[in-house]
Amino acid sequence: ATCPVNQLLLWDVSTQGIASSCCPESSLSCAGCGQFAEGKCVKCAGGYTMRGSGCQSCVDTAGWLDDNGMSCMQLQQAGEACSEQKVGGLSSKEACCHCDGGHTSATSFAYEDSQVLIGKTVSLKPQPRTATRYEVNEDCEFAKFGLTVDGQTGEISGTPTGTEPLNVGCEITAVQTPGISFTTTV
C-alpha cells in the first residue's frame, strides 16, 4: 500500500485482517490513528484511545477490577457504562482508558533521516505530527546555518548555509498536552 505525497500510511490491524488508509501529514489526527476516513481518525491503533478528536497513548490501571470483578477491558467489551463508584480507591473513570481515565503517555514522532545539501531548500516535517507546540533545545544551532523550526507545526525549513559539510543536531520537543511531551533528536 502507498499514499500520495504529503500523506502518511496508516495500518489497522485487527482480527478481521489488515487494512490501510492515508492521512494528511499535517493533521494532528494521524498520531496514534489506525484508520483515517472522511477527514478524521475513525479508529485508533492498538494501545491508543480516542480522546477528543485524536488518539492518545493510554494503558488501563493494571489489576483494577470493579465491584463485580470486571476489568476495564471486560467493561468496555460488555458495553458497561463508566462509573464514579470507587473500588480499591479508583473508579472506572479514573482507571480505564475508554472512560477517559488510565495512564497516558506521549506519542512518539521522528523526522525522516536525510542528508541535505548546502544551498538547497529543506522541508522536514514531524512524522506523525503530534502537537501544536514544538520547542528546540537551547544549544540548537539550526538558525546559525539558515534553518528554522516552526513552533506550531514542528516543520524544519530553510536553505542551509555554509562552505563545508557539517553535522548539526538538535533536540525537538513536541508539547502534546500539559505534562505530556516527547523529545526526538534530529
Side-chain angles (χ1 to χ4, degrees):
T2 61
C3 291
V5 175
N6 298 326
Q7 300 257 331
L8 296 177
L9 180 60
L10 304 178
W11 294 100
D12 178 24
V13 180
S14 69
T15 55
Q16 288 81 35
I18 300 172
S20 65
S21 58
C22 299
C23 181
E25 70 181 359
S26 62
S27 174
L28 288 169
S29 297
C30 299
C33 185
Q35 185 177 8
F36 189 86
E38 299 176 15
K40 64 183 179 178
C41 182
V42 294
K43 183 179 178 189
C44 295
Y48 290 83
T49 300
M50 189 65 71
R51 298 272 168 103
S53 62
C55 299
Q56 176 73 53
S57 177
C58 188
V59 294
D60 294 327
T61 300
W64 183 86
L65 300 173
D66 74 356
D67 58 347
N68 293 317
M70 294 177 74
S71 69
C72 292
M73 182 182 291
Q74 291 169 327
L75 287 172
Q76 184 177 16
Q77 291 171 342
E80 295 289 327
C82 298
S83 164
E84 296 282 351
Q85 182 180 351
K86 293 189 185 255
V87 178
L90 294 174
S91 69
S92 61
K93 288 187 175 185
E94 296 165 317
C96 305
C97 293
H98 78 280
C99 296
D100 288 337
H103 304 277
T104 59
S105 62
T107 300
S108 64
F109 72 99
Y111 289 86
E112 184 179 329
D113 190 21
S114 64
Q115 294 182 352
V116 297
L117 298 173
I118 292 174
K120 296 288 184 180
T121 302
V122 172
S123 175
L124 298 171
K125 297 176 182 169
Q127 305 285 320
R129 182 175 175 207
T130 62
T132 57
R133 191 173 106 216
Y134 290 82
E135 301 171 347
V136 297
N137 63 313
E138 62 183 58
D139 302 6
C140 182
E141 295 186 323
F142 280 173
K144 180 177 171 183
F145 298 102
L147 299 174
T148 61
V149 177
D150 185 303
Q152 291 183 330
T153 67
E155 180 180 5
I156 301 168
S157 62
T159 304
T161 59
T163 56
E164 296 184 25
L166 55 110
N167 188 6
V168 179
C170 291
E171 290 181 353
I172 299 180
T173 300
V175 181
Q176 297 170 3
T177 61
I180 297 180
S181 61
F182 185 84
T183 301
T184 193
T185 302
V186 182

